[in-house]
Amino acid sequence: CNLSCSYCFSQQSRSVGLLDVESVEAVIDYTINSESINKKFIFIGGGEPFLAWEDLKRAIQYIHLKKNINHKVLIVITTNATLLDDKKILFLNKYGVELGISFDILPEIQNSQRCFANQKGTFTVVDNYIRQLIKIRSTITSHNVAKMAEMVQFVVDNYSGIKYLHFEPVSDSQDNTTDFYTEFVSNFISARRLGLQYGVDVYNSVTNSIDKLNSRFCRGEFCTTPTGEIVACHRVLSKEDPLFEKMYYGKVANDRKSLNIDDNRKNEIFAMFNKKLPECKNCFAMWHCAGGCVYDQNNLTLSQLRAKCYYIKSLIQAILYERLTIKTNSYGDK
């Protein structure tokens, strides 16, 4: 990665390796040949995909080469946007690639929380290309939790094309407290109401779950690390991660032409994703958060988990109250 973000979840376990193109193509082949007609490829994790632009281009082209007419293909890239340029954007548009931009909006917050490795700020670099997008994802920490409404106003005033703002509280930090989440919910609702006035949908993973009944937070993922291991969570980046052994269930074969998947191990791991906390049994929000993230269950302290439960319940209550008191919802429907 070319940044040194203050809240990066992968600082301790990021791999310095780069998945070779043959392994990437083996993973694509495996996915294309699976039974589902819906094929979703996400380039995400503890690094910046555009640092490997030529390999990324080749992977995107290979996906389109291998898919057939019946496949519904979605390609998503999560990026810090510091390496975007007109040529890359034209290529991504050609292949229908969806960009997920991590951007903390306000110049002073972006420059302090999402700086380059040399500590130089990134706002000016990213600002130019944000104008060509329609949605932004911002991580909310104690430094900007009281600034969410200000962030919405900044977007309205400076980026007229942005219609979706994803505000997600930071994970794995000292901010995982009840006090922080209380402040988050209050300021998030204020920002959401301001966005509503301008036709900007302010949302996050909890608000997206309101209209769903989920039996589990995540069904388990099919992710490839830079060294070719298959793991069930994109936050597990290498063997250095303490949860690697819990999430590992396969790898790219030595010939780089196929994958070796331990189906028994895979089934055991995916069953773990059905696990609920004891508090879930009588919780009104259980069918929305469905027990929460398995990575968090295994990584956060008990007090942090309970603080996160408090946050989810509080935000769901706030959104339900919003629906009872505001005649127009965030999508403009009467």
Side-chain angles (χ1 to χ4, degrees):
C1 187
N2 61 331
L3 297 194
S4 181
C5 300
S6 62
Y7 49 71
C8 179
F9 69 85
S10 68
Q11 290 175 345
Q12 305 304 317
S13 61
R14 181 186 297 132
S15 170
V16 296
L18 181 67
L19 191 64
D20 60 88
V21 292
E22 292 81 8
S23 295
V24 173
E25 291 175 353
V27 172
I28 292 170
D29 287 338
Y30 182 91
T31 305
I32 288 291
N33 293 329
S34 64
E35 293 182 0
S36 173
I37 64 170
N38 296 309
K39 312 294 181 181
K40 187 173 184 178
F41 300 88
I42 305 178
F43 295 87
I44 189 174
E48 172 48 48
F50 287 105
L51 282 170
W53 172 238
E54 292 302 323
D55 290 347
L56 186 61
K57 281 172 56 180
R58 176 169 167 173
I60 292 168
Q61 291 169 327
Y62 190 77
I63 290 169
H64 280 267
L65 175 67
K66 288 292 187 173
K67 74 181 183 69
N68 66 45
I69 195 171
N70 296 318
H71 289 153
K72 298 177 181 179
V73 171
L74 175 63
I75 303 173
V76 180
I77 299 174
T78 296
T79 174
N80 59 41
T82 60
L83 300 174
L84 285 178
D85 57 40
D86 292 338
K87 185 177 179 180
K88 292 184 179 74
I89 290 173
L90 285 173
F91 176 88
L92 298 172
N93 285 340
K94 176 183 176 180
Y95 286 95
V97 176
E98 180 178 312
L99 278 181
I101 305 296
S102 297
F103 182 55
D104 288 348
I105 299 175
L106 300 177
E108 68 274 17
I109 299 297
Q110 174 73 12
N111 286 335
S112 64
Q113 293 191 162
R114 299 187 60 79
C115 57
F116 286 111
N118 62 5
Q119 303 305 303
K120 183 179 178 180
T122 58
F123 177 84
T124 302
V125 177
V126 179
D127 173 67
N128 183 47
Y129 289 102
I130 288 293
R131 302 175 196 278
Q132 302 182 44
L133 306 172
I134 63 170
K135 65 181 179 180
I136 296 171
R137 184 195 189 282
S138 298
T139 298
I140 306 301
T141 69
S142 57
H143 297 292
N144 59 347
V145 68
K147 296 178 179 287
M148 282 188 271
E150 183 182 345
M151 293 164 71
V152 173
Q153 191 66 57
F154 189 94
V155 167
V156 170
D157 293 342
N158 294 277
Y159 309 122
S160 59
I162 300 294
K163 299 302 178 186
Y164 302 94
L165 287 176
H166 181 171
F167 289 169
E168 201 71 36
V170 66
S171 297
D172 308 341
S173 83
Q174 65 274 15
D175 289 333
N176 293 116
T177 66
T178 300
D179 288 343
F180 169 75
Y181 287 128
T182 298
E183 192 174 3
F184 178 94
V185 172
S186 175
N187 285 286
F188 178 85
I189 293 299
S190 296
R192 183 174 166 86
R193 289 178 178 174
L194 179 62
L196 187 59
Q197 297 176 26
Y198 293 106
V200 176
D201 185 14
V202 180
Y203 69 98
N204 65 20
S205 58
V206 175
T207 66
N208 279 350
S209 73
I210 293 289
D211 296 309
K212 301 175 183 178
L213 295 177
N214 300 309
S215 62
R216 51 189 173 182
F217 176 85
C218 172
R219 64 182 180 180
E221 298 173 330
F222 177 79
C223 305
T224 312
T225 71
T227 47
E229 292 88 11
I230 309 300
V231 292
C233 178
H234 68 270
R235 292 167 72 181
V236 176
L237 303 167
S238 72
K239 293 180 180 179
E240 301 302 315
D241 192 287
L243 295 184
F244 177 83
E245 292 300 329
K246 276 183 173 288
M247 298 291 182
Y248 167 75
Y249 64 90
K251 63 180 180 179
V252 176
N254 291 334
D255 61 7
R256 301 294 192 273
K257 295 181 180 180
S258 60
L259 271 61
N260 296 324
I261 304 294
D262 185 335
D263 288 326
N264 290 332
R265 177 68 181 145
K266 175 184 174 182
N267 292 335
E268 289 175 3
I269 293 173
F270 282 20
M272 179 177 63
F273 282 74
N274 287 314
K275 181 182 177 182
K276 307 290 188 296
L277 299 173
E279 293 88 343
C280 293
K281 185 175 181 181
N282 297 311
C283 177
F284 78 93
M286 185 184 76
W287 298 109
H288 300 295
C289 81
C293 171
V294 169
Y295 189 94
D296 285 347
Q297 288 180 14
N298 287 273
N299 194 52
L300 299 181
T301 65
L302 182 59
S303 63
Q304 287 176 323
L305 284 173
R306 287 178 173 165
K308 202 155 192 176
C309 287
Y310 166 82
Y311 152 65
I312 292 169
K313 290 185 286 187
S314 297
L315 187 51
I316 288 175
Q317 286 177 319
I319 296 299
L320 293 175
Y321 180 77
E322 173 191 276
R323 292 190 175 186
L324 291 171
T325 56
I326 297 180
K327 293 182 179 179
T328 304
N329 67 26
S330 60
Y331 301 99
D333 299 321
K334 299 295 184 182

PDB file of all heavy atoms in Angstrom, residues 224-252:
ATOM      1  N   THR A 224      -8.535 -14.810  -1.635  1.00  0.00           N
ATOM      2  CA  THR A 224      -7.182 -15.283  -1.906  1.00  0.00           C
ATOM      3  C   THR A 224      -6.170 -14.306  -1.339  1.00  0.00           C
ATOM      4  O   THR A 224      -6.226 -13.112  -1.638  1.00  0.00           O
ATOM      5  CB  THR A 224      -6.949 -15.427  -3.421  1.00  0.00           C
ATOM      6  OG1 THR A 224      -8.027 -16.125  -4.008  1.00  0.00           O
ATOM      7  CG2 THR A 224      -5.660 -16.181  -3.685  1.00  0.00           C
ATOM      8  N   THR A 225      -5.257 -14.789  -0.527  1.00  0.00           N
ATOM      9  CA  THR A 225      -4.200 -13.936   0.018  1.00  0.00           C
ATOM     10  C   THR A 225      -3.126 -13.719  -1.051  1.00  0.00           C
ATOM     11  O   THR A 225      -3.093 -14.426  -2.071  1.00  0.00           O
ATOM     12  CB  THR A 225      -3.548 -14.587   1.249  1.00  0.00           C
ATOM     13  OG1 THR A 225      -2.767 -15.716   0.822  1.00  0.00           O
ATOM     14  CG2 THR A 225      -4.591 -15.028   2.264  1.00  0.00           C
ATOM     15  N   PRO A 226      -2.204 -12.773  -0.850  1.00  0.00           N
ATOM     16  CA  PRO A 226      -1.137 -12.545  -1.822  1.00  0.00           C
ATOM     17  C   PRO A 226      -0.250 -13.759  -2.082  1.00  0.00           C
ATOM     18  O   PRO A 226       0.394 -13.841  -3.126  1.00  0.00           O
ATOM     19  CB  PRO A 226      -0.333 -11.400  -1.195  1.00  0.00           C
ATOM     20  CG  PRO A 226      -1.328 -10.663  -0.376  1.00  0.00           C
ATOM     21  CD  PRO A 226      -2.222 -11.729   0.195  1.00  0.00           C
ATOM     22  N   THR A 227      -0.225 -14.697  -1.141  1.00  0.00           N
ATOM     23  CA  THR A 227       0.604 -15.890  -1.329  1.00  0.00           C
ATOM     24  C   THR A 227      -0.221 -17.114  -1.739  1.00  0.00           C
ATOM     25  O   THR A 227       0.274 -18.235  -1.716  1.00  0.00           O
ATOM     26  CB  THR A 227       1.409 -16.196  -0.051  1.00  0.00           C
ATOM     27  OG1 THR A 227       0.538 -16.128   1.086  1.00  0.00           O
ATOM     28  CG2 THR A 227       2.521 -15.177   0.131  1.00  0.00           C
ATOM     29  N   GLY A 228      -1.484 -16.891  -2.101  1.00  0.00           N
ATOM     30  CA  GLY A 228      -2.273 -17.952  -2.717  1.00  0.00           C
ATOM     31  C   GLY A 228      -3.116 -18.805  -1.804  1.00  0.00           C
ATOM     32  O   GLY A 228      -3.730 -19.770  -2.255  1.00  0.00           O
ATOM     33  N   GLU A 229      -3.180 -18.472  -0.488  1.00  0.00           N
ATOM     34  CA  GLU A 229      -4.060 -19.237   0.400  1.00  0.00           C
ATOM     35  C   GLU A 229      -5.503 -18.758   0.227  1.00  0.00           C
ATOM     36  O   GLU A 229      -5.761 -17.591  -0.051  1.00  0.00           O
ATOM     37  CB  GLU A 229      -3.648 -19.070   1.857  1.00  0.00           C
ATOM     38  CG  GLU A 229      -2.307 -19.709   2.211  1.00  0.00           C
ATOM     39  CD  GLU A 229      -1.143 -18.793   1.973  1.00  0.00           C
ATOM     40  OE1 GLU A 229      -1.377 -17.585   1.728  1.00  0.00           O
ATOM     41  OE2 GLU A 229       0.014 -19.263   2.013  1.00  0.00           O
ATOM     42  N   ILE A 230      -6.445 -19.696   0.415  1.00  0.00           N
ATOM     43  CA  ILE A 230      -7.866 -19.373   0.353  1.00  0.00           C
ATOM     44  C   ILE A 230      -8.381 -19.259   1.782  1.00  0.00           C
ATOM     45  O   ILE A 230      -8.235 -20.190   2.585  1.00  0.00           O
ATOM     46  CB  ILE A 230      -8.663 -20.454  -0.404  1.00  0.00           C
ATOM     47  CG1 ILE A 230      -8.016 -20.737  -1.765  1.00  0.00           C
ATOM     48  CG2 ILE A 230     -10.115 -20.017  -0.566  1.00  0.00           C
ATOM     49  CD1 ILE A 230      -7.932 -19.552  -2.687  1.00  0.00           C
ATOM     50  N   VAL A 231      -8.974 -18.118   2.100  1.00  0.00           N
ATOM     51  CA  VAL A 231      -9.472 -17.872   3.449  1.00  0.00           C
ATOM     52  C   VAL A 231     -10.913 -17.384   3.381  1.00  0.00           C
ATOM     53  O   VAL A 231     -11.396 -16.937   2.338  1.00  0.00           O
ATOM     54  CB  VAL A 231      -8.594 -16.834   4.190  1.00  0.00           C
ATOM     55  CG1 VAL A 231      -7.217 -17.411   4.484  1.00  0.00           C
ATOM     56  CG2 VAL A 231      -8.485 -15.538   3.395  1.00  0.00           C
ATOM     57  N   ALA A 232     -11.602 -17.457   4.526  1.00  0.00           N
ATOM     58  CA  ALA A 232     -13.033 -17.152   4.572  1.00  0.00           C
ATOM     59  C   ALA A 232     -13.341 -15.706   4.931  1.00  0.00           C
ATOM     60  O   ALA A 232     -14.501 -15.345   5.079  1.00  0.00           O
ATOM     61  CB  ALA A 232     -13.721 -18.080   5.573  1.00  0.00           C
ATOM     62  N   CYS A 233     -12.297 -14.867   5.049  1.00  0.00           N
ATOM     63  CA  CYS A 233     -12.529 -13.458   5.408  1.00  0.00           C
ATOM     64  C   CYS A 233     -11.457 -12.588   4.760  1.00  0.00           C
ATOM     65  O   CYS A 233     -10.254 -12.887   4.869  1.00  0.00           O
ATOM     66  CB  CYS A 233     -12.498 -13.283   6.929  1.00  0.00           C
ATOM     67  SG  CYS A 233     -12.705 -11.558   7.466  1.00  0.00           S
ATOM     68  N   HIS A 234     -11.883 -11.497   4.119  1.00  0.00           N
ATOM     69  CA  HIS A 234     -10.927 -10.632   3.421  1.00  0.00           C
ATOM     70  C   HIS A 234     -10.042  -9.838   4.372  1.00  0.00           C
ATOM     71  O   HIS A 234      -9.044  -9.251   3.938  1.00  0.00           O
ATOM     72  CB  HIS A 234     -11.673  -9.663   2.491  1.00  0.00           C
ATOM     73  CG  HIS A 234     -12.505  -8.634   3.195  1.00  0.00           C
ATOM     74  ND1 HIS A 234     -13.827  -8.844   3.521  1.00  0.00           N
ATOM     75  CD2 HIS A 234     -12.195  -7.389   3.654  1.00  0.00           C
ATOM     76  CE1 HIS A 234     -14.294  -7.771   4.130  1.00  0.00           C
ATOM     77  NE2 HIS A 234     -13.333  -6.884   4.227  1.00  0.00           N
ATOM     78  N   ARG A 235     -10.372  -9.834   5.653  1.00  0.00           N
ATOM     79  CA  ARG A 235      -9.526  -9.130   6.610  1.00  0.00           C
ATOM     80  C   ARG A 235      -8.351  -9.983   7.084  1.00  0.00           C
ATOM     81  O   ARG A 235      -7.455  -9.494   7.770  1.00  0.00           O
ATOM     82  CB  ARG A 235     -10.369  -8.677   7.816  1.00  0.00           C
ATOM     83  CG  ARG A 235     -11.375  -7.598   7.434  1.00  0.00           C
ATOM     84  CD  ARG A 235     -12.415  -7.373   8.511  1.00  0.00           C
ATOM     85  NE  ARG A 235     -11.876  -6.697   9.675  1.00  0.00           N
ATOM     86  CZ  ARG A 235     -12.594  -6.399  10.753  1.00  0.00           C
ATOM     87  NH1 ARG A 235     -13.889  -6.739  10.806  1.00  0.00           N
ATOM     88  NH2 ARG A 235     -12.046  -5.786  11.773  1.00  0.00           N
ATOM     89  N   VAL A 236      -8.351 -11.265   6.706  1.00  0.00           N
ATOM     90  CA  VAL A 236      -7.226 -12.152   7.014  1.00  0.00           C
ATOM     91  C   VAL A 236      -6.285 -12.112   5.813  1.00  0.00           C
ATOM     92  O   VAL A 236      -6.555 -12.694   4.764  1.00  0.00           O
ATOM     93  CB  VAL A 236      -7.712 -13.592   7.277  1.00  0.00           C
ATOM     94  CG1 VAL A 236      -6.531 -14.521   7.500  1.00  0.00           C
ATOM     95  CG2 VAL A 236      -8.641 -13.613   8.476  1.00  0.00           C
ATOM     96  N   LEU A 237      -5.173 -11.401   5.962  1.00  0.00           N
ATOM     97  CA  LEU A 237      -4.335 -11.066   4.816  1.00  0.00           C
ATOM     98  C   LEU A 237      -3.136 -11.983   4.631  1.00  0.00           C
ATOM     99  O   LEU A 237      -2.569 -12.053   3.541  1.00  0.00           O
ATOM    100  CB  LEU A 237      -3.832  -9.631   4.972  1.00  0.00           C
ATOM    101  CG  LEU A 237      -4.931  -8.575   5.122  1.00  0.00           C
ATOM    102  CD1 LEU A 237      -4.335  -7.263   5.592  1.00  0.00           C
ATOM    103  CD2 LEU A 237      -5.655  -8.386   3.816  1.00  0.00           C
ATOM    104  N   SER A 238      -2.734 -12.665   5.690  1.00  0.00           N
ATOM    105  CA  SER A 238      -1.536 -13.488   5.604  1.00  0.00           C
ATOM    106  C   SER A 238      -1.491 -14.443   6.788  1.00  0.00           C
ATOM    107  O   SER A 238      -2.336 -14.393   7.687  1.00  0.00           O
ATOM    108  CB  SER A 238      -0.281 -12.607   5.619  1.00  0.00           C
ATOM    109  OG  SER A 238      -0.067 -12.065   6.910  1.00  0.00           O
ATOM    110  N   LYS A 239      -0.479 -15.285   6.795  1.00  0.00           N
ATOM    111  CA  LYS A 239      -0.289 -16.216   7.901  1.00  0.00           C
ATOM    112  C   LYS A 239       0.051 -15.489   9.202  1.00  0.00           C
ATOM    113  O   LYS A 239      -0.004 -16.087  10.277  1.00  0.00           O
ATOM    114  CB  LYS A 239       0.824 -17.204   7.552  1.00  0.00           C
ATOM    115  CG  LYS A 239       0.460 -18.150   6.409  1.00  0.00           C
ATOM    116  CD  LYS A 239       1.597 -19.113   6.098  1.00  0.00           C
ATOM    117  CE  LYS A 239       1.218 -20.045   4.957  1.00  0.00           C
ATOM    118  NZ  LYS A 239       2.313 -20.986   4.606  1.00  0.00           N
ATOM    119  N   GLU A 240       0.416 -14.223   9.106  1.00  0.00           N
ATOM    120  CA  GLU A 240       0.731 -13.436  10.297  1.00  0.00           C
ATOM    121  C   GLU A 240      -0.510 -13.052  11.081  1.00  0.00           C
ATOM    122  O   GLU A 240      -0.428 -12.684  12.257  1.00  0.00           O
ATOM    123  CB  GLU A 240       1.500 -12.168   9.902  1.00  0.00           C
ATOM    124  CG  GLU A 240       2.806 -12.416   9.175  1.00  0.00           C
ATOM    125  CD  GLU A 240       3.749 -13.277   9.995  1.00  0.00           C
ATOM    126  OE1 GLU A 240       3.888 -13.003  11.199  1.00  0.00           O
ATOM    127  OE2 GLU A 240       4.342 -14.215   9.425  1.00  0.00           O
ATOM    128  N   ASP A 241      -1.667 -13.117  10.439  1.00  0.00           N
ATOM    129  CA  ASP A 241      -2.900 -12.742  11.127  1.00  0.00           C
ATOM    130  C   ASP A 241      -3.239 -13.817  12.163  1.00  0.00           C
ATOM    131  O   ASP A 241      -3.199 -15.007  11.864  1.00  0.00           O
ATOM    132  CB  ASP A 241      -4.054 -12.613  10.122  1.00  0.00           C
ATOM    133  CG  ASP A 241      -5.280 -11.957  10.730  1.00  0.00           C
ATOM    134  OD1 ASP A 241      -5.962 -12.635  11.539  1.00  0.00           O
ATOM    135  OD2 ASP A 241      -5.570 -10.811  10.412  1.00  0.00           O
ATOM    136  N   PRO A 242      -3.591 -13.426  13.390  1.00  0.00           N
ATOM    137  CA  PRO A 242      -3.884 -14.413  14.438  1.00  0.00           C
ATOM    138  C   PRO A 242      -5.077 -15.307  14.116  1.00  0.00           C
ATOM    139  O   PRO A 242      -5.216 -16.381  14.710  1.00  0.00           O
ATOM    140  CB  PRO A 242      -4.152 -13.557  15.680  1.00  0.00           C
ATOM    141  CG  PRO A 242      -4.419 -12.176  15.169  1.00  0.00           C
ATOM    142  CD  PRO A 242      -3.627 -12.044  13.911  1.00  0.00           C
ATOM    143  N   LEU A 243      -5.937 -14.903  13.191  1.00  0.00           N
ATOM    144  CA  LEU A 243      -7.093 -15.720  12.836  1.00  0.00           C
ATOM    145  C   LEU A 243      -6.888 -16.526  11.557  1.00  0.00           C
ATOM    146  O   LEU A 243      -7.834 -17.130  11.047  1.00  0.00           O
ATOM    147  CB  LEU A 243      -8.340 -14.831  12.679  1.00  0.00           C
ATOM    148  CG  LEU A 243      -8.823 -14.131  13.946  1.00  0.00           C
ATOM    149  CD1 LEU A 243     -10.121 -13.376  13.667  1.00  0.00           C
ATOM    150  CD2 LEU A 243      -9.046 -15.121  15.071  1.00  0.00           C
ATOM    151  N   PHE A 244      -5.658 -16.556  11.051  1.00  0.00           N
ATOM    152  CA  PHE A 244      -5.404 -17.268   9.791  1.00  0.00           C
ATOM    153  C   PHE A 244      -5.824 -18.733   9.865  1.00  0.00           C
ATOM    154  O   PHE A 244      -6.526 -19.242   8.978  1.00  0.00           O
ATOM    155  CB  PHE A 244      -3.926 -17.162   9.409  1.00  0.00           C
ATOM    156  CG  PHE A 244      -3.579 -17.930   8.163  1.00  0.00           C
ATOM    157  CD1 PHE A 244      -3.797 -17.382   6.914  1.00  0.00           C
ATOM    158  CD2 PHE A 244      -3.056 -19.223   8.239  1.00  0.00           C
ATOM    159  CE1 PHE A 244      -3.493 -18.101   5.752  1.00  0.00           C
ATOM    160  CE2 PHE A 244      -2.750 -19.946   7.105  1.00  0.00           C
ATOM    161  CZ  PHE A 244      -2.971 -19.381   5.855  1.00  0.00           C
ATOM    162  N   GLU A 245      -5.404 -19.430  10.913  1.00  0.00           N
ATOM    163  CA  GLU A 245      -5.707 -20.862  11.012  1.00  0.00           C
ATOM    164  C   GLU A 245      -7.212 -21.111  11.110  1.00  0.00           C
ATOM    165  O   GLU A 245      -7.704 -22.137  10.631  1.00  0.00           O
ATOM    166  CB  GLU A 245      -4.984 -21.473  12.215  1.00  0.00           C
ATOM    167  CG  GLU A 245      -3.475 -21.530  12.062  1.00  0.00           C
ATOM    168  CD  GLU A 245      -3.032 -22.367  10.863  1.00  0.00           C
ATOM    169  OE1 GLU A 245      -3.749 -23.337  10.513  1.00  0.00           O
ATOM    170  OE2 GLU A 245      -1.986 -22.044  10.281  1.00  0.00           O
ATOM    171  N   LYS A 246      -7.943 -20.195  11.715  1.00  0.00           N
ATOM    172  CA  LYS A 246      -9.395 -20.354  11.820  1.00  0.00           C
ATOM    173  C   LYS A 246     -10.084 -20.176  10.473  1.00  0.00           C
ATOM    174  O   LYS A 246     -11.167 -20.717  10.250  1.00  0.00           O
ATOM    175  CB  LYS A 246      -9.968 -19.320  12.811  1.00  0.00           C
ATOM    176  CG  LYS A 246      -9.902 -19.722  14.272  1.00  0.00           C
ATOM    177  CD  LYS A 246     -10.564 -18.657  15.129  1.00  0.00           C
ATOM    178  CE  LYS A 246     -10.667 -19.094  16.587  1.00  0.00           C
ATOM    179  NZ  LYS A 246     -11.667 -20.136  16.804  1.00  0.00           N
ATOM    180  N   MET A 247      -9.480 -19.404   9.575  1.00  0.00           N
ATOM    181  CA  MET A 247     -10.139 -19.019   8.331  1.00  0.00           C
ATOM    182  C   MET A 247      -9.596 -19.720   7.080  1.00  0.00           C
ATOM    183  O   MET A 247     -10.186 -19.634   6.010  1.00  0.00           O
ATOM    184  CB  MET A 247     -10.004 -17.503   8.129  1.00  0.00           C
ATOM    185  CG  MET A 247     -10.655 -16.677   9.218  1.00  0.00           C
ATOM    186  SD  MET A 247     -12.451 -16.797   9.187  1.00  0.00           S
ATOM    187  CE  MET A 247     -12.896 -15.671  10.526  1.00  0.00           C
ATOM    188  N   TYR A 248      -8.506 -20.427   7.193  1.00  0.00           N
ATOM    189  CA  TYR A 248      -7.828 -21.023   6.030  1.00  0.00           C
ATOM    190  C   TYR A 248      -8.459 -22.353   5.631  1.00  0.00           C
ATOM    191  O   TYR A 248      -8.678 -23.228   6.453  1.00  0.00           O
ATOM    192  CB  TYR A 248      -6.351 -21.233   6.382  1.00  0.00           C
ATOM    193  CG  TYR A 248      -5.585 -22.114   5.423  1.00  0.00           C
ATOM    194  CD1 TYR A 248      -5.196 -21.635   4.180  1.00  0.00           C
ATOM    195  CD2 TYR A 248      -5.240 -23.422   5.766  1.00  0.00           C
ATOM    196  CE1 TYR A 248      -4.476 -22.432   3.302  1.00  0.00           C
ATOM    197  CE2 TYR A 248      -4.522 -24.222   4.898  1.00  0.00           C
ATOM    198  CZ  TYR A 248      -4.142 -23.722   3.662  1.00  0.00           C
ATOM    199  OH  TYR A 248      -3.442 -24.519   2.793  1.00  0.00           O
ATOM    200  N   TYR A 249      -8.789 -22.506   4.335  1.00  0.00           N
ATOM    201  CA  TYR A 249      -9.353 -23.783   3.889  1.00  0.00           C
ATOM    202  C   TYR A 249      -8.906 -24.232   2.495  1.00  0.00           C
ATOM    203  O   TYR A 249      -9.495 -25.144   1.908  1.00  0.00           O
ATOM    204  CB  TYR A 249     -10.880 -23.763   3.960  1.00  0.00           C
ATOM    205  CG  TYR A 249     -11.579 -22.762   3.040  1.00  0.00           C
ATOM    206  CD1 TYR A 249     -11.960 -23.110   1.752  1.00  0.00           C
ATOM    207  CD2 TYR A 249     -11.897 -21.485   3.496  1.00  0.00           C
ATOM    208  CE1 TYR A 249     -12.628 -22.208   0.936  1.00  0.00           C
ATOM    209  CE2 TYR A 249     -12.569 -20.589   2.690  1.00  0.00           C
ATOM    210  CZ  TYR A 249     -12.928 -20.950   1.412  1.00  0.00           C
ATOM    211  OH  TYR A 249     -13.592 -20.049   0.596  1.00  0.00           O
ATOM    212  N   GLY A 250      -7.861 -23.642   1.956  1.00  0.00           N
ATOM    213  CA  GLY A 250      -7.378 -24.092   0.649  1.00  0.00           C
ATOM    214  C   GLY A 250      -6.256 -23.216   0.145  1.00  0.00           C
ATOM    215  O   GLY A 250      -5.829 -22.264   0.802  1.00  0.00           O
ATOM    216  N   LYS A 251      -5.771 -23.553  -1.046  1.00  0.00           N
ATOM    217  CA  LYS A 251      -4.699 -22.753  -1.648  1.00  0.00           C
ATOM    218  C   LYS A 251      -4.625 -23.020  -3.148  1.00  0.00           C
ATOM    219  O   LYS A 251      -5.166 -24.010  -3.666  1.00  0.00           O
ATOM    220  CB  LYS A 251      -3.355 -23.077  -1.006  1.00  0.00           C
ATOM    221  CG  LYS A 251      -2.887 -24.507  -1.202  1.00  0.00           C
ATOM    222  CD  LYS A 251      -1.535 -24.740  -0.520  1.00  0.00           C
ATOM    223  CE  LYS A 251      -1.067 -26.187  -0.718  1.00  0.00           C
ATOM    224  NZ  LYS A 251       0.252 -26.409  -0.079  1.00  0.00           N
ATOM    225  N   VAL A 252      -3.951 -22.119  -3.840  1.00  0.00           N
ATOM    226  CA  VAL A 252      -3.696 -22.320  -5.264  1.00  0.00           C
ATOM    227  C   VAL A 252      -2.666 -23.443  -5.396  1.00  0.00           C
ATOM    228  O   VAL A 252      -1.670 -23.475  -4.662  1.00  0.00           O
ATOM    229  CB  VAL A 252      -3.161 -21.020  -5.904  1.00  0.00           C
ATOM    230  CG1 VAL A 252      -2.810 -21.256  -7.370  1.00  0.00           C
ATOM    231  CG2 VAL A 252      -4.185 -19.897  -5.772  1.00  0.00           C
TER     232      VAL A 252
END
